[in-house]
Amino acid sequence: MKRLSGKKIAEEILSELRPEIEKLILNNIIPTLAVVLVGDDPASAVYVGHKKTACKSLGIRSLEFILPANTTQEDLENIIIELNEDSTVHGILCQFPLPKHLNEASIIDLINPKKDVDCFHPYNLGRLASDNPTFMPVTPYGIFQILKRSGVDPRGKHVVIIGRGTTVGRPLSIMMSLKGWDSTVTLCHSHTKEIRTICRSADILVGAIGRPKFITRDFLKQGVTVIDVGINKVVDTNHPKGGHLVGDVDYKNISDIASAATPVPGGVGPVTISILMFNCINAARIASGLPVLDM
Amino acid sequence: MKRLSGKKIAEEILSELRPEIEKLILNNIIPTLAVVLVGDDPASAVYVGHKKTACKSLGIRSLEFILPANTTQEDLENIIIELNEDSTVHGILCQFPLPKHLNEASIIDLINPKKDVDCFHPYNLGRLASDNPTFMPVTPYGIFQILKRSGVDPRGKHVVIIGRGTTVGRPLSIMMSLKGWDSTVTLCHSHTKEIRTICRSADILVGAIGRPKFITRDFLKQGVTVIDVGINKVVDTNHPKGGHLVGDVDYKNISDIASAATPVPGGVGPVTISILMFNCINAARIASGLPVLDM
């Protein structure tokens, strides 16, 4: 089984993006991402940290807005409105999940679709579904880059996705069946019957449910490519950090069946961040009237 | 095989909508649909006629804008802008296809999403994909009504859709896999391999490709419910009208395998128009600050 290193692919993508940023800066366009973080969820803080590091390494300016957990909906909306109006800000990212008293859908809806580098806004999701995307959904497009850069052509392949979340499963199901991607897509979820049988027909199997090691060897057809989007924290008192990260796939027990698989960590995660950077560059290009880049 | 009469279901839906319109009119809200038709495509004229008849039978006011085939993009856009601004108009429907020199995507994008009764606007498609729809896509929701009102519960069923068009196949694939619908959905298209094998795993099979009698008995599992969205005109010199309408399904040769199927004509078509009326009522309710109706 080939280990699909997301870390390596992310580095490859970032190195391709660097000259694009230099070109923009030469034209006095400084790509700028505003990151909004509400509350003190430790995982969110880690993700925001990774995004900041990626920005820094590329020369994307990043602004941080760290708000207390008791921030009101109105205060958060006012910050989004200000960022929408600020022409020096090209991309706006509000780190989810928000504290429970805040309405995430309203916040997404408020972000200017031209600055929606997460591609969460209904308008951008709908452009994707209309086969006319502006921004690409970050994790789905990251998964496509992993496949493409590993020599796995998705055209005509049966892609089975487990998990219908709006961040990964659903936009991935839409994207992979568009013209150009041309996969036959099946979207499975908690109500799916005979899920193992369906999964065993997959040429490419994607786990995006958030259940540790849910996908075992009996889900797999010989030669399948496995993409693991799950990041599940498993408590482990023997571990120095009190636990470790596990994907949705029982990675260690599939090596004689799968032809390739992404590990967790070091698989989909780093590539997702590189796509966020790609979207930031495109947001800066859109704001400047330049055509968006393709990859 | 049970014949799923769309005509009967449409009448049922329309009779449920009538009192809703009466309630609106009692509150001095006259639901109004503006229909824009460019050029003289005979099929489009027939569809517009059906929509007008449905409006009339319900008491929905309909305005018609019939434009010559050589209408410019700018002129068409100006009409849409006027209709967007006219507060007495609740729904705007631009009949597609437009003549080839006109850009359909720009027209869809221009329609105020709150008046987009076809649910073609990216914002509305994206709300659907975000599991938070305002308007329902007309043909997909019509298909759901046919299933529901025929006693076919889609939850946990495998729905296989042939055709990834933005009007039917794609929004149907999104809707049927949402929470509440809970189908496991596979979307097939021209690049799908072993399509017969995939279709034979369907509990509900939907043809939306526009190829006459493409779906034959070897696509079907015993007991499957078949929904035929195709409306294909087949030339027939023996026919008084020079041809007849045929669906995507070889309807006559599946009766011992399928448990139920929609005919063409008289299947999905009439129900689609009743959903358009449902959306018009909801557009009038949205404009008046009332919550949308469910069905």
Side-chain angles (χ1 to χ4, degrees):
Chain A
M1 184 179 81
K2 192 176 161 188
R3 185 181 180 276
L4 302 176
S5 167
K7 231 178 139 184
K8 214 178 118 192
I9 290 168
E11 277 165 19
E12 198 178 297
I13 293 172
L14 294 179
S15 71
E16 289 168 23
L17 296 181
R18 237 168 236 117
E20 296 297 337
I21 291 167
E22 283 161 15
K23 270 193 249 170
L24 288 174
I25 292 174
L26 276 176
N27 285 292
N28 293 317
I29 302 162
I30 300 162
T32 300
L33 172 68
V35 180
V36 181
L37 175 62
V38 186
D40 40 23
D41 179 54
S44 291
V46 170
Y47 295 143
V48 165
H50 288 325
K51 291 166 189 176
K52 251 175 75 180
T53 306
C55 283
K56 205 170 175 184
S57 92
L58 284 182
I60 292 179
R61 189 169 70 116
S62 73
L63 310 175
E64 243 185 342
F65 297 80
I66 315 260
L67 309 174
N70 63 356
T71 300
T72 65
Q73 183 80 17
E74 199 192 343
D75 284 346
L76 180 55
E77 289 184 358
N78 284 335
I79 286 172
I80 301 292
I81 291 168
E82 270 177 46
L83 294 171
N84 278 344
E85 286 169 359
D86 184 342
S87 64
T88 67
V89 170
H90 304 117
I92 302 171
L93 184 159
C94 186
Q95 184 68 43
F96 290 151
L98 292 174
K100 288 221 161 87
H101 68 283
L102 297 172
N103 184 334
E104 290 185 355
S106 304
I107 296 300
I108 293 174
D109 225 61
L110 191 62
I111 293 175
N112 180 344
K114 290 183 179 169
K115 300 189 178 189
D116 170 40
V117 286
D118 264 332
C119 194
F120 285 169
H121 195 284
Y123 180 74
N124 286 322
L125 274 183
R127 284 191 71 105
L128 181 74
S130 310
D131 211 348
N132 189 23
T134 311
F135 291 114
M136 298 307 296
V138 285
T139 305
Y141 201 54
I143 290 170
F144 168 64
Q145 292 296 327
I146 292 173
L147 295 172
K148 183 181 156 188
R149 291 165 191 261
S150 308
V152 181
D153 185 350
R155 283 176 292 178
K157 299 281 166 61
H158 188 195
V159 175
V160 177
I161 301 163
I162 313 181
R164 56 179 163 175
T166 50
T167 310
V168 185
R170 189 170 310 283
L172 180 66
S173 75
I174 295 170
M175 186 191 78
M176 293 304 291
S177 69
L178 291 176
K179 280 177 195 159
W181 282 272
D182 292 324
S183 301
T184 302
V185 178
T186 301
L187 185 57
C188 299
H189 45 76
S190 54
H191 286 71
T192 297
K193 288 174 187 162
E194 296 179 53
I195 192 164
R196 281 174 185 75
T197 309
I198 293 174
C199 289
R200 274 198 300 267
S201 71
D203 302 308
I204 298 166
L205 181 63
V206 181
I209 26 165
R211 289 175 63 177
K213 297 187 186 175
F214 178 78
I215 299 171
T216 47
R217 45 187 294 128
D218 50 329
F219 282 69
L220 309 185
K221 174 170 81 174
Q222 193 69 41
V224 63
T225 298
V226 179
I227 304 289
D228 190 352
V229 187
I231 303 180
N232 311 292
K233 189 159 183 184
V234 173
V235 176
D236 177 358
T237 47
N238 292 325
H239 197 277
K241 288 186 180 170
H244 60 283
L245 295 179
V246 168
D248 288 351
V249 179
D250 187 9
Y251 190 79
K252 279 185 190 155
N253 293 312
I254 62 165
S255 58
D256 58 328
I257 304 182
S259 64
T262 60
V264 173
V268 174
V271 186
T272 295
I273 291 176
S274 72
I275 303 301
L276 177 68
M277 300 298 112
F278 172 73
N279 281 351
C280 286
I281 294 172
N282 275 335
R285 293 179 64 92
I286 290 169
S288 315
L290 297 167
V292 296
L293 294 178
D294 200 6
M295 190 159 69
Chain B
M1 182 180 80
K2 190 175 162 189
R3 184 182 180 276
L4 303 175
S5 169
K7 231 178 137 181
K8 214 178 118 192
I9 291 167
E11 279 165 18
E12 198 178 299
I13 293 171
L14 293 179
S15 72
E16 289 169 22
L17 296 182
R18 236 168 237 118
E20 295 298 336
I21 292 168
E22 283 161 15
K23 269 192 252 173
L24 288 174
I25 292 175
L26 276 177
N27 285 292
N28 292 317
I29 302 162
I30 300 162
T32 300
L33 173 68
V35 180
V36 181
L37 175 62
V38 186
D40 39 25
D41 178 55
S44 290
V46 169
Y47 295 141
V48 166
H50 288 324
K51 292 168 188 176
K52 251 174 75 180
T53 306
C55 283
K56 205 170 175 183
S57 92
L58 283 184
I60 291 178
R61 189 169 70 116
S62 73
L63 309 175
E64 243 186 344
F65 296 80
I66 315 259
L67 308 174
N70 63 357
T71 300
T72 64
Q73 183 80 20
E74 199 191 343
D75 284 346
L76 180 56
E77 289 184 358
N78 284 335
I79 287 173
I80 301 293
I81 291 168
E82 270 178 45
L83 294 171
N84 278 344
E85 287 170 357
D86 185 341
S87 65
T88 67
V89 170
H90 304 116
I92 302 172
L93 183 158
C94 186
Q95 184 67 43
F96 291 149
L98 293 173
K100 289 224 162 84
H101 67 284
L102 296 172
N103 183 334
E104 289 185 356
S106 303
I107 297 299
I108 293 173
D109 224 61
L110 191 62
I111 293 175
N112 180 343
K114 290 184 178 170
K115 299 190 177 189
D116 170 41
V117 285
D118 264 331
C119 194
F120 285 169
H121 194 284
Y123 180 74
N124 285 321
L125 275 182
R127 283 191 72 105
L128 180 75
S130 310
D131 211 348
N132 189 22
T134 311
F135 292 114
M136 298 306 296
V138 284
T139 305
Y141 200 55
I143 291 169
F144 169 63
Q145 292 297 326
I146 292 173
L147 295 172
K148 182 181 157 188
R149 290 164 192 264
S150 308
V152 181
D153 185 349
R155 283 176 291 177
K157 299 279 166 64
H158 189 195
V159 174
V160 178
I161 302 164
I162 313 181
R164 56 179 163 175
T166 50
T167 310
V168 185
R170 189 171 310 282
L172 180 66
S173 74
I174 295 170
M175 185 190 79
M176 294 304 291
S177 69
L178 291 177
K179 278 176 195 161
W181 282 272
D182 292 323
S183 301
T184 302
V185 178
T186 301
L187 185 56
C188 299
H189 45 76
S190 53
H191 286 70
T192 297
K193 287 173 189 162
E194 299 179 51
I195 191 164
R196 281 174 186 75
T197 309
I198 293 174
C199 288
R200 275 199 300 267
S201 72
D203 303 307
I204 298 166
L205 181 64
V206 181
I209 27 167
R211 289 175 65 175
K213 296 186 186 175
F214 177 79
I215 298 171
T216 49
R217 46 185 295 124
D218 50 330
F219 282 69
L220 309 184
K221 172 170 83 176
Q222 194 69 43
V224 64
T225 298
V226 180
I227 304 288
D228 190 352
V229 188
I231 303 180
N232 311 291
K233 188 159 184 182
V234 173
V235 176
D236 177 359
T237 48
N238 292 326
H239 196 277
K241 288 187 179 169
H244 60 282
L245 295 180
V246 168
D248 288 351
V249 179
D250 188 10
Y251 190 79
K252 280 184 186 153
N253 292 312
I254 62 165
S255 57
D256 59 329
I257 303 180
S259 64
T262 59
V264 173
V268 174
V271 186
T272 295
I273 291 176
S274 73
I275 303 301
L276 177 67
M277 300 298 112
F278 171 73
N279 280 352
C280 286
I281 294 171
N282 275 335
R285 292 179 65 91
I286 290 169
S288 314
L290 297 167
V292 296
L293 294 177
D294 200 7
M295 188 158 71

